[in-house]
Amino acid sequence: MKKVVMKFGGTSVASGEKIRYIADLISQHVGQGYKVVAVISALGGVTDRLVEASEQAKKGNRKYVYEFKQEVIEEHLTVARKAVENKPIQEEIEQTLQTTVDELEKVLTGIIYVGELTPKSRDYVLSFGERLSASIVWGALRDFGLNAQYYTGSDVGIVTDSNFGEANPLMDVTKHQVKEKIEPLLEKGVVPVVTGYIAATQDGVTTTLGRGGSDYTATIIGAALGVDEVWIWTDVDGLMSSDPKIVSSARMMPEISFQEAIEMAIFGAKAMHPRALEPAMEEHIPVRIRNAFNPENLGTLIVEEQKIKRGDIVKAITLVKNVVLVNVSGAGMVGAPGTAAKVFDVLGRENINILMISQSVSEANISFIIRRSLLERAINALEIALLGRGLIREVTAEDDVCVVAVVGAGMKGTPGVASRIFSAIARRGINIRMIAQGSSELNISFVVKETDGEQAVRAIHEEFELDKI
Ligand code: ADP
Ligand code: ASP
Ligand code: MG
């Protein structure tokens, strides 16, 4: 195997020592004859802090912005000084970081002056995390003697629509441009270091691919180049039967299908972008999730279902937090065709993604689950569009819930899985608020109180003996 895209998450670039370590890891692979494209995430936690800084700028908080800028530059300089030993390279990187942070300060100051934070300016602010981290990795790779070059996602040709915050790559142009740009570099022995998560519209305006989007960048590039594999390096050995932070006996899965992995991603396993696997799946490129700090372990290989040797009934359980259950009710909805369409149309126009839906036979209410951060927008939009027209009477929300999703291709056509799941939950005295099973039968998800979530995950993990397989 020769050509791979390697993506390093925030957990792998969290410190100067770690960056040196991954630079070494990349250079070892290059030494073994691999052609490598490196895709880099922001340092752990930086994107969240950029979100906060942009909010503070909108509120006109100059002091916050000033202190934030100081913190960001100090933090990245400290990391860079550890990551790069060669003095001239170190100075060059420090200069780059300084210039980049000055630009960030200008953008935030602009937001303070205008007093407005548009999705467009927000994306511009959020792009700085990756621009800073990738510069440091670029320096570290050169320090290890590699011919590395730094690019943003847009530099290598990733173009998107202008759905800021969750931009969609225009795959045909992107694939063509990325290939044109990167292929010759790889031929010349260059290691391109590309910022994850960020891209641009066709007019060159900066966009982001949505949170966790660096994984997406990696598969987009992988698909464009037709690489042998995409490797997502992270801080756990692979995809596990559950979040190891919740179930200590969670087991690593050596193999899983794209469909199963996508269900897991949508439902929150490994903070992965839900669409990240699409480009790889379409081009039949295997994706490997592996532990940067335990590279002897080959991790989880995500492949097409036909290639999986054994199918377990239930493979993994994930927990989705930070969601709310919204309930739209009213007697006028009974037997009124098109009510559900109206509700979802309103939400769709607001770009609100719905994770789960259920409607009872009585038809007097529709319940659905959305991300907590979207609640206010959802309620406002629904009330403005639908209240007072005789159709719906009330829109209410419960914000202390979470979703437990049970995933496994083997559930398809296996009777009794649901009853085992729900009996295990009932034995713990946990109350279930809502249930949904997709017709794909790859996934059964249900809603419980947030405080019961972790216990529910452990109960099912135990019921299906996922620690033993
Ligand atoms: P990165 O910085 O590498 O992008 P993420 O935080 O996005 O890392 O994802 C890795 C984390 O995902 C792990 O540290 C782990 O706690 C969490 N996680 C949740 N569910 C799972 C799962 N089923 N398998 C593996 N990791 C999981
Ligand atoms: N830095 C971005 C985020 O935190 C993208 C990523 O890490 O994948 O969402
Ligand atoms: Mg991530």
Side-chain angles (χ1 to χ4, degrees):
M1 182 187 330
K2 285 275 138 65
K3 212 191 301 173
V4 290
V5 175
M6 296 191 182
K7 177 259 174 177
F8 293 90
T11 46
S12 319
V13 293
S15 67
E17 288 84 354
K18 286 187 175 168
I19 291 183
R20 257 196 108 62
Y21 172 89
I22 63 158
D24 190 17
L25 187 67
I26 294 173
S27 91
Q28 283 174 29
H29 281 89
V30 172
Q32 289 160 21
Y34 281 87
K35 289 198 169 89
V36 179
V37 180
V39 173
I40 311 297
S41 284
L43 306 189
V46 168
T47 309
D48 287 331
R49 284 158 57 209
L50 286 165
V51 172
E52 182 58 25
S54 60
E55 289 297 330
Q56 292 296 335
K58 180 173 102 181
K59 291 184 193 145
N61 194 340
R62 277 169 202 280
K63 181 164 171 281
Y64 188 97
V65 167
Y66 177 76
E67 286 171 4
F68 175 71
K69 176 219 157 168
Q70 298 297 108
E71 263 172 46
V72 167
I73 188 68
E74 272 318 310
E75 178 180 352
H76 285 85
L77 286 178
T78 309
V79 169
R81 284 176 194 138
K82 281 256 160 59
V84 183
E85 283 173 1
N86 175 295
K87 276 287 162 219
I89 300 180
Q90 201 182 75
E91 277 161 23
E92 189 191 334
I93 299 300
E94 285 182 16
Q95 190 55 51
T96 308
L97 294 176
Q98 193 63 59
T99 316
T100 311
V101 173
D102 288 346
E103 187 186 333
L104 169 62
E105 189 186 20
K106 285 203 191 102
V107 182
L108 290 169
T109 309
I111 294 170
I112 294 179
Y113 275 113
V114 191
E116 188 189 39
L117 179 65
T118 61
K120 184 171 165 180
S121 49
R122 189 169 181 272
D123 266 8
Y124 189 20
V125 173
L126 297 194
S127 75
F128 281 86
E130 270 68 15
R131 290 166 62 185
L132 293 165
S133 63
S135 309
I136 304 177
V137 174
W138 170 53
L141 286 176
R142 286 191 295 153
D143 205 5
F144 275 85
L146 294 179
N147 181 4
Q149 281 175 23
Y150 166 93
Y151 300 100
T152 62
S154 154
D155 293 337
V156 296
I158 304 180
V159 279
T160 66
D161 61 12
S162 50
N163 185 20
F164 296 100
E166 199 85 43
N168 304 293
L170 308 176
M171 277 313 274
D172 289 339
V173 213
T174 296
K175 277 206 282 207
H176 177 73
Q177 297 193 145
V178 168
K179 198 173 164 64
E180 292 259 289
K181 178 82 196 186
I182 298 186
E183 203 73 68
L185 296 171
L186 294 179
E187 287 310 317
K188 278 190 279 181
V190 171
V191 178
V193 182
V194 186
T195 59
Y197 181 52
I198 60 180
T201 63
Q202 272 168 313
D203 304 327
V205 180
T206 300
T207 53
T208 65
L209 300 174
R211 295 306 303 272
S214 298
D215 299 324
Y216 203 4
T217 304
T219 58
I220 293 168
I221 295 178
L225 298 176
V227 294
D228 296 293
E229 284 187 6
V230 173
W231 294 354
I232 310 273
W233 293 100
T234 182
D235 65 340
V236 282
D237 278 343
L239 274 179
M240 324 262 288
S241 53
S242 196
D243 186 342
K245 285 164 195 151
I246 299 176
V247 184
S248 55
S249 61
R251 179 188 48 94
M252 205 269 291
M253 297 178 284
E255 255 182 356
I256 182 169
S257 72
F258 274 109
Q259 286 77 8
E260 290 168 323
I262 288 172
E263 296 280 339
M264 286 181 72
I266 292 173
F267 285 96
K270 177 175 172 335
M272 195 199 274
H273 192 296
R275 292 186 60 195
L277 292 168
E278 274 174 25
M281 185 165 83
E282 274 161 25
E283 299 291 330
H284 313 283
I285 296 170
V287 176
R288 205 181 271 284
I289 309 223
R290 32 190 328 195
N291 190 343
F293 307 100
N294 183 18
E296 288 76 44
N297 190 318
L298 290 178
T300 299
L301 187 64
I302 307 176
V303 287
E304 283 154 324
E305 203 178 329
Q306 314 77 275
K307 297 199 178 134
I308 302 256
K309 285 173 218 94
R310 47 169 300 171
D312 302 313
I313 301 175
V314 166
K315 279 224 173 109
I317 307 142
T318 69
L319 183 62
V320 194
K321 292 187 187 159
N322 300 317
V323 293
V324 282
L325 193 160
V326 182
N327 196 23
V328 178
S329 59
M333 289 163 60
V334 180
T339 314
K342 281 193 193 111
V343 169
F344 298 124
D345 180 51
V346 170
L347 298 170
R349 273 187 273 129
E350 283 291 314
N351 239 322
I352 293 171
N353 189 25
I354 300 158
L355 292 172
M356 255 175 100
I357 302 172
S358 103
Q359 178 176 34
S360 57
V361 240
S362 79
E363 293 185 48
N365 72 71
I366 296 178
S367 309
F368 56 90
I369 297 280
I370 56 173
R371 301 257 170 231
R372 192 171 287 157
S373 58
L374 301 174
L375 177 61
E376 215 182 290
R377 239 167 75 205
I379 301 246
N380 284 342
L382 287 169
E383 289 187 344
I384 290 168
L386 302 175
L387 279 189
R389 310 206 168 163
L391 201 59
I392 70 171
R393 188 173 41 86
E394 207 179 20
V395 182
T396 56
E398 291 172 35
D399 66 0
D400 58 346
V401 297
C402 61
V403 179
V404 178
V406 185
V407 177
M411 298 197 299
K412 209 179 318 189
T414 310
V417 182
S419 95
R420 276 177 73 188
I421 294 174
F422 298 125
S423 309
I425 297 301
R427 279 199 298 276
R428 307 280 171 121
I430 298 173
N431 185 32
I432 297 177
R433 298 282 301 109
M434 175 176 161
I435 299 175
Q437 175 176 32
S439 58
S440 68
E441 289 187 50
L442 277 173
N443 169 331
I444 295 178
S445 4
F446 59 92
V447 176
V448 296
K449 281 247 178 283
E450 189 154 34
T451 43
D452 291 332
E454 298 199 354
Q455 210 200 341
V457 170
R458 287 192 283 264
I460 302 168
H461 204 270
E462 223 166 82
E463 169 66 28
F464 289 90
E465 302 190 329
L466 295 189
D467 54 331
K468 302 220 175 80
I469 301 167

